[in-house]
Amino acid sequence: MVSSSDVWDEEDAATYDADGAEYFKPEVLDPTVDFLERLADGGPALEFAIGTGRVGISLAARGVPVTGIELSAAMVAQLRLKVGEGELPVIVGDMATTMAPGAGSFSVVFLVWNSISNLRTQAEQVQCFRHAANHLRPGGRFVIELWVPPIQRLLT
């Protein structure tokens, strides 16, 4: 397991959706889900750091088979309040090392909402990229959504 990844506890998980409510608005969420649905092109998708399921649940609701990997059992528990294992399977484990069933067959692997920043070293991030590649079918795509930090923050 990647040791520097953050583990969200029960308290964090319980307020996660409410704290990020603006990201659930259709005008914010729908373009992301539209994009991923096009990339999936009828194939299965794998979400690294699926959290409480903001994107994965919406994508699965459109008929895309989605599997998730999530480090925090508390976050998965919140996701399970919304959908069952049969609708969206989730493996509790690290996104840089945990293998999902069907590895090698996913049309898209995605990592959204700055979650790559939970991997704090370059080595961890490189391992995550390799891990995504191991899950993808030939021609599959790895999508990362990441904010651009202010330049002043990089100087400190």
Side-chain angles (χ1 to χ4, degrees):
M1 178 161 69
V2 177
S3 61
S4 70
S5 295
D6 290 329
V7 177
W8 299 87
D9 64 19
E10 287 81 9
E11 185 177 325
D12 294 325
T15 62
Y16 193 79
D17 289 354
D19 292 345
E22 67 189 75
Y23 296 102
F24 285 84
K25 291 180 180 177
E27 61 270 20
V28 175
L29 183 57
D30 287 351
T32 299
V33 177
D34 292 343
F35 178 72
L36 293 169
E37 182 180 24
R38 279 192 309 274
L39 288 182
D41 194 27
L46 175 62
E47 183 172 4
F48 285 173
I50 194 168
T52 63
R54 180 181 68 94
V55 176
I57 291 171
S58 296
L59 189 58
R62 294 188 182 189
V64 175
V66 177
T67 299
I69 295 176
E70 172 58 46
L71 185 59
S72 169
M75 294 292 267
V76 176
Q78 290 298 313
L79 181 148
R80 286 289 163 246
L81 296 174
K82 303 171 195 175
V83 297
E85 178 72 19
E87 297 171 76
L88 201 165
V90 176
I91 300 96
V92 176
D94 189 278
M95 66 182 155
T97 61
T98 301
M99 293 301 289
S105 67
F106 291 95
S107 55
V108 64
V109 174
F110 61 100
L111 179 57
V112 295
W113 205 355
N114 304 314
S115 296
I116 189 73
S117 63
N118 289 334
L119 301 174
R120 298 202 179 132
T121 69
Q122 184 177 20
E124 291 173 341
Q125 292 173 0
V126 168
Q127 177 60 33
C128 183
F129 275 65
R130 284 188 183 122
H131 199 54
N134 290 333
H135 280 88
L136 290 167
R137 68 182 185 197
R141 301 208 173 111
F142 183 33
V143 176
I144 298 175
E145 177 186 44
L146 183 64
W147 61 288
V148 177
I151 192 71
Q152 294 82 7
R153 193 165 174 195
L154 295 176
L155 298 175
T156 59

